[in-house]
Amino acid sequence: MGITLGTLLCVLTLNYLVLVKPLPYPDQNKLFVTNHVLYDKNDELQTRENSTQSVITFYKENTVFSSSATIYYSWSLIETHPAQPLVNTIETVPEYFKMFSVPMIKGRAFEHTEDIDKRHAVAVISYKAWQKHFNGTADILEKKIDLAGMSYQIIGVIDKRFVEPQIYGIGRETEVWLPWDVPGNLSKVFDKWNTYDAIVLVGKLNKDINSVQAEHKLTPILNELWQDDQAMFKNKKGWRTKVELTAIKEVIIGGTKFQALLMLTGVIALVLIACTNVINLMMARTAEMQKQLAIHAAIGAKRSHLHRLIFSETSILMFAAMLLALLISSIGFEVMRTYLSEILPRVNELGLHRFTLISAFMLALGLAYILAKVSSQLIDYKSLNSQLTGSGKGIGIQVSKKIRNTLMIVQVTMASLLLFTNINLFQQAVVPIFQEKGFSTEELYDLYLPPNKLPFLDVQGRNAFVVEIKRIFSESPAVEFISHSSHIYNAARLNYFTVLNNGKGADKNISATVSKIDEHYFDMIGQPILQGDYFSINDIRSVYKEKSGQIEKNENKVVIVNQAFTKKIQPDGMVLNSLIQRGDSSPFRIIGIVKDRIHAPLTKGEPRVFTPSTESGFSFIIKYHHGQALSREQIVSMVKQAGSRNPPYEYESVSEKHLLRLFPQITTSITTIALSIIVLFLVAIGLYGIVNYSTQLRQFELGTRLAIGAKRNDLVKLILVDNLKPILVGLGISIFIILGLVIIFPNELGTYVSLKMIPMFLGTVILISLISLIACYLPLRQYINQTPIHSLRGYN
């Protein structure tokens, strides 16, 4: 009971944080995140991401927001640190620190001197960064931090109590805050209309305006700017913009409300199963206390006194269980903060809050009262005197068959619901884990070099650098291949392509992610080609010649696309030699179609376009011989040999990246398996206890039946039939509840509803039936495996 209550306190506290407790920011109900929504000429949604133009426009619009903050999420290396660690950064404005009431432990936050266009190279760091990267030195405000070729004076350290708003991603922790537009920052080089999910604006609405009114005011302002710049985007003619505002709590919590409620429902069902077990034990104990209760009645105790006596016992038990529950919940909070911080929002705020302690007290008191009340109902106060004068045979308190059946129904119903839910969630979770990816991740590593620190700024110089990198790595006996290509799990943004039909119909617009690859890429990752050819070295060189200015225009621009992209053009996938255009550039010719690869945790391929590498990028994929992967220190040394003064930003195993992307699914699978085992264990104990008690009451009857010639199988059938009705009723109620939830919450449960539910529920019925059969048979063995005289003599 203590374990299940501890789990309940964990999930209850999480639901309180997600659903009830306000965010720890002033006027959080007035804080909204803007979305720059783009629709194409067919009024189809293309993106909800912001651009630098949109956030700057919103930032300067004072008629809507009383204050606002532009935010760009990025990362960088601390170049002066011996280990040169990678840190998460934010580029923002002074309003950020006021809006989120950021507490400072040292120094100050940004002021008006660090606003847009001021360009002061200063930085604020987190408490964690101060301790981890600067050893908590007391003179931190006298030090500088070098990032991306710029040196920033540290002006403040944020207190560790600060709860960063998880706008860009759950679990992301910022370590360095920089001004928005210091020279050299990445935000400065963005095209003003290119959209990125890392660009955000948070605004605090004026008192006299709501979110809908604000959207109506901002949309025409932004749309006018968009239309004025339409000449820049020939492939986006007829497109329109719209502004949407989303409450910051909705952005942070998102779709996890339903998940949190689902977890709470499951744990409550688990507690109910545990409670039925305890109720069964308490009622059995009340039956054993009949003489003690009779004595109390004989000396003047009233019914209320007896209830208080039982209540005092149940209170001691429940409060003892609650002490264990608080210990379990503390362990649970730590486990959730460690392993679920990137899955569930506000997990880092979990702890033994006042809400948790009050909930623990109320649960203990309520459960103690319910247990005492149920046990008291068994007491026939008027007949207690006869307990002292009678022989005690056959007149003791017994738990009625109606109550026993009710307990069985509750247990079977709750167990069926939990098992069905767990099996369903498990099935959903394991699909992306075990599905065919369409490519291999074994022995592959991603390598990404710092672009700002490469020793050559021109295309020819970068090309020579890439050639040298490839030569050095190819000569290593550990390396099987090195590919100068975009990473498999690269964070590529969507590009918009126009399929040119040459007057044979309307052109089609298709959005797809783009990867730049070399001629070895597909062979190295094992992604098969279905039609056409891979890139040749001449395709790569043609792109390089255009970039370097050796030729004015590359007339033989080619691409390879995947199956998902071809189906967007025409269902039969016959699109070889079709022409597609990106922006105003000259068209690409499709020379090959590769099999879809499925990026976890997705379950189907997405449209992808592969273009030849320019030989001057910064991304590489290394394939090692089995078990011979090089260490980061070795990689740093080899990169330095090629002329780079800085270590790589990234050197990571592709297999580890793949597992990291599957972490929520793996966690769900393990959790559902563990919870299912606990449910089966609890329901088995509960059903066994109830059936065992019922069988003991029928001991004399069973002995008599054996004595007059009944067979063992006859008694087994008798007990099974007697307990079959409440089991079937419990299964029927669980079906009714499932159907009701599907009808009430069609949107939330729609992804789980399909014909696959039928075998899942059949599996649930089989498991519950097996548990019930075992629970019915085991108590009966002691009576059918011995002579009838033992049952008749042992009856009391």
Side-chain angles (χ1 to χ4, degrees):
M1 192 69 189
I3 295 174
T4 55
L5 287 176
T7 307
L8 177 60
L9 287 176
C10 273
V11 179
L12 199 61
T13 305
L14 177 64
N15 273 264
Y16 169 70
L17 289 172
V18 170
L19 303 175
V20 180
K21 188 178 180 181
L23 298 173
Y25 314 124
D27 299 322
Q28 59 112 20
N29 291 328
K30 283 285 186 180
L31 298 181
F32 286 82
V33 176
T34 64
N35 292 308
H36 176 193
V37 187
L38 272 175
Y39 295 93
D40 64 17
K41 60 184 178 182
N42 298 319
D43 219 32
E44 293 184 2
L45 175 66
Q46 295 299 321
T47 182
R48 277 195 167 89
E49 298 173 355
N50 288 311
S51 62
T52 52
Q53 179 65 59
S54 63
V55 296
I56 294 298
T57 301
F58 302 150
Y59 180 69
K60 295 178 179 179
E61 186 50 53
N62 297 325
T63 61
V64 170
F65 300 118
S66 59
S67 63
S68 56
T70 56
I71 307 171
Y72 170 60
Y73 293 91
S74 186
W75 39 262
S76 188
L77 288 171
I78 303 180
E79 297 172 355
T80 52
H81 193 280
Q84 297 184 320
L86 191 68
V87 292
N88 289 325
T89 64
I90 276 181
E91 296 173 21
T92 188
V93 291
E95 283 81 355
Y96 176 96
F97 297 88
K98 300 174 185 176
M99 188 177 294
F100 299 117
S101 190
V102 181
M104 305 298 295
I105 194 172
K106 274 186 173 292
R108 64 173 178 85
F110 292 170
E111 296 177 350
H112 69 279
T113 52
E114 286 81 43
D115 205 346
I116 288 179
D117 298 328
K118 301 296 184 180
R119 302 189 176 184
H120 283 186
V122 295
V124 171
I125 64 173
S126 68
Y127 181 87
K128 180 179 178 181
W130 178 36
Q131 299 298 318
K132 183 178 179 181
H133 304 308
F134 295 93
N135 298 320
T137 179
D139 61 345
I140 185 64
L141 300 183
E142 299 174 12
K143 295 187 176 296
K144 293 186 176 183
I145 182 169
D146 288 358
L147 304 168
M150 287 287 296
S151 184
Y152 299 87
Q153 178 65 50
I154 298 174
I155 61 171
V157 179
I158 295 176
D159 197 300
K160 62 181 177 181
R161 294 173 299 153
F162 174 54
V163 179
E164 182 185 351
Q166 306 272 278
I167 299 172
Y168 184 52
I170 297 173
R172 184 190 188 276
E173 295 183 358
T174 302
E175 295 177 89
V176 182
W177 284 256
L178 305 172
W180 173 258
D181 57 0
V182 168
N185 286 7
L186 291 180
S187 60
K188 185 173 181 287
V189 300
F190 284 147
D191 183 280
K192 66 177 183 178
W193 285 115
N194 280 349
T195 58
Y196 300 86
D197 61 348
I199 299 178
V200 177
L201 183 128
V202 181
K204 181 179 177 181
L205 289 179
N206 286 319
K207 294 181 180 180
D208 58 345
I209 194 172
N210 58 39
S211 60
V212 176
Q213 293 170 330
E215 289 175 355
H216 290 325
K217 283 193 173 185
L218 289 174
T219 295
I221 295 172
L222 187 64
N223 200 47
E224 183 179 353
L225 291 172
W226 169 264
Q227 299 302 332
D228 288 343
D229 287 339
Q230 276 293 289
M232 299 168 56
F233 319 108
K234 289 184 179 180
N235 65 327
K236 296 181 182 179
K237 287 183 178 179
W239 288 32
R240 66 180 179 88
T241 66
K242 180 184 176 183
V243 178
E244 290 183 354
L245 298 184
T246 308
I248 191 170
K249 186 169 185 179
E250 185 63 28
V251 173
I252 294 172
I253 304 302
T256 56
K257 291 180 181 178
F258 183 72
Q259 295 176 358
L261 286 172
L262 192 63
M263 291 172 62
L264 180 61
T265 303
V267 174
I268 289 175
L270 195 64
V271 171
L272 286 176
I273 294 174
C275 284
T276 56
N277 292 343
V278 176
I279 287 172
N280 184 45
L281 293 173
M282 289 301 302
M283 290 191 300
R285 171 168 171 73
T286 303
E288 292 176 356
M289 290 173 61
Q290 53 186 321
K291 284 193 175 295
Q292 180 183 348
L293 296 174
I295 293 172
H296 281 282
I299 60 177
K302 298 180 180 180
R303 178 183 291 275
S304 60
H305 295 140
L306 299 181
H307 178 267
R308 284 198 291 269
L309 175 65
I310 298 174
F311 178 66
S312 63
E313 287 192 353
T314 58
S315 296
I316 293 172
L317 290 173
M318 283 299 101
F319 278 99
M322 197 53 69
L323 290 176
L324 175 61
L326 289 172
L327 176 62
I328 295 296
S329 64
S330 297
I331 297 172
F333 292 148
E334 185 61 34
V335 170
M336 293 173 77
R337 284 194 296 266
T338 302
Y339 296 104
L340 301 181
S341 61
E342 296 185 1
I343 301 175
L344 297 172
R346 307 194 73 176
V347 166
N348 290 330
E349 298 178 53
L350 285 173
L352 289 177
H353 300 294
R354 182 170 57 181
F355 171 82
T356 312
L357 297 175
I358 293 174
S359 299
F361 178 79
M362 297 301 293
L363 280 170
L365 199 63
L367 289 173
Y369 179 81
I370 292 171
L371 291 174
K373 190 71 175 178
V374 172
S375 299
S376 300
Q377 296 301 314
L378 294 174
I379 302 172
D380 185 354
Y381 185 78
K382 294 182 180 179
S383 64
L384 282 179
N385 282 333
S386 63
Q387 304 294 324
L388 296 176
T389 58
S391 63
K393 276 196 173 184
I395 56 175
I397 300 175
Q398 294 183 1
V399 181
S400 70
K401 185 176 182 179
K402 182 178 179 181
I403 293 177
R404 297 197 305 270
N405 286 346
T406 300
L407 292 177
M408 290 183 69
I409 289 171
V410 170
Q411 290 223 334
V412 171
T413 301
M414 294 297 102
S416 300
L417 288 172
L418 278 179
L419 282 176
F420 174 73
T421 302
N422 285 335
I423 292 173
N424 202 331
L425 291 174
F426 177 78
Q427 188 272 337
Q428 296 277 342
V430 297
V431 168
I433 296 175
F434 295 105
Q435 71 184 351
E436 178 62 38
K437 301 189 297 290
F439 67 100
S440 173
T441 62
E442 298 301 319
E443 304 298 336
L444 294 181
Y445 277 72
D446 287 336
L447 176 65
Y448 184 70
L449 303 178
N452 63 295
K453 280 297 182 179
L454 289 178
F456 312 104
L457 299 179
D458 56 276
V459 177
Q460 290 88 346
R462 290 189 178 187
N463 178 66
F465 175 77
V466 169
V467 170
E468 183 65 10
I469 281 283
K470 293 171 72 174
R471 183 192 66 79
I472 292 172
F473 277 87
S474 297
E475 291 177 354
S476 170
V479 176
E480 183 176 341
F481 282 115
I482 178 169
S483 174
H484 179 229
S485 304
S486 300
H487 297 162
I488 296 173
Y489 288 118
N490 65 321
R493 61 186 179 87
L494 288 177
N495 283 255
Y496 302 99
F497 292 88
T498 302
V499 181
L500 304 178
N501 289 329
N502 297 322
K504 297 179 181 179
D507 294 341
K508 293 182 179 179
N509 289 324
I510 300 175
S511 59
T513 54
V514 177
S515 296
K516 295 180 179 181
I517 64 172
D518 67 8
E519 69 275 16
H520 302 298
Y521 179 81
F522 291 116
D523 280 336
M524 191 170 67
I525 70 171
Q527 186 173 357
I529 193 162
L530 303 178
Q531 299 179 43
D533 298 310
Y534 292 136
F535 293 140
S536 67
I537 187 63
N538 289 329
D539 296 324
I540 307 296
R541 288 171 179 168
S542 295
V543 176
Y544 163 68
K545 289 178 180 178
E546 181 186 11
K547 294 287 184 181
S548 62
Q550 296 181 26
I551 58 176
E552 290 186 4
K553 190 174 183 182
N554 179 11
E555 298 292 350
N556 187 34
K557 296 180 70 172
V558 294
V559 293
I560 296 173
V561 299
N562 68 346
Q563 292 170 288
F565 189 90
T566 64
K567 290 175 182 177
K568 291 278 187 177
I569 303 175
Q570 51 188 72
D572 61 8
M574 305 299 292
V575 299
L576 280 182
N577 295 314
S578 296
L579 298 178
I580 62 175
Q581 186 177 28
R582 179 172 58 182
D584 300 330
S585 64
S586 55
F588 295 91
R589 182 171 56 89
I590 298 175
I591 64 167
I593 300 171
V594 291
K595 184 179 179 181
D596 281 346
R597 67 184 189 212
I598 303 173
H599 288 200
L602 302 176
T603 55
K604 63 179 182 179
E606 295 183 314
R608 294 185 181 276
V609 174
F610 302 91
T611 63
S613 170
T614 63
E615 293 199 349
S616 60
F618 319 112
S619 299
F620 298 85
I621 303 177
I622 305 170
K623 183 175 179 64
Y624 292 105
H625 293 291
H626 182 69
Q628 297 186 36
L630 299 176
S631 66
R632 181 177 175 86
E633 289 75 13
Q634 291 172 303
I635 293 294
V636 169
S637 175
M638 294 169 74
V639 170
K640 283 183 178 180
Q641 290 180 39
S644 178
R645 297 189 296 275
N646 278 71
Y649 271 143
E650 179 184 353
Y651 176 64
E652 293 181 314
S653 165
V654 179
S655 294
E656 290 179 3
K657 279 187 175 182
H658 178 73
L659 287 176
L660 186 62
R661 292 170 70 97
L662 287 172
F663 181 75
Q665 285 70 32
I666 295 172
T667 303
T668 300
S669 301
I670 296 173
T671 303
T672 52
I673 291 173
L675 189 58
S676 297
I677 293 172
I678 294 172
V679 170
L680 290 172
F681 178 73
L682 288 176
V683 76
I685 292 176
L687 291 177
Y688 175 83
I690 296 170
V691 175
N692 184 51
Y693 180 78
S694 302
T695 306
Q696 286 180 10
L697 294 179
R698 301 179 67 173
Q699 180 180 343
F700 185 79
E701 176 194 346
L702 296 173
T704 303
R705 287 179 180 271
L706 286 171
I708 62 177
K711 303 295 183 183
R712 292 176 58 183
N713 290 341
D714 296 329
L715 297 185
V716 172
K717 291 178 182 177
L718 176 69
I719 297 299
L720 288 178
V721 171
D722 192 47
N723 293 290
L724 184 62
K725 183 178 179 181
I727 293 172
L728 292 177
V729 170
L731 290 172
I733 293 174
S734 65
I735 294 175
F736 178 79
I737 293 174
I738 290 170
L739 293 176
L741 290 174
V742 170
I743 294 171
I744 296 172
F745 304 105
N747 296 329
E748 290 82 355
L749 299 175
T751 55
Y752 302 100
V753 178
S754 66
L755 293 177
K756 294 180 181 179
M757 291 177 64
I758 297 176
M760 291 178 194
F761 192 78
L762 289 177
T764 302
V765 171
I766 292 172
L767 281 173
I768 294 296
S769 300
L770 286 174
I771 292 293
S772 302
L773 287 173
I774 295 171
C776 290
Y777 176 72
L778 289 179
L780 191 60
R781 289 185 61 195
Q782 61 179 316
Y783 304 117
I784 62 178
N785 289 336
Q786 60 186 7
T787 58
I789 193 64
H790 286 89
S791 296
L792 295 173
R793 284 179 176 174
Y795 175 69
N796 186 2

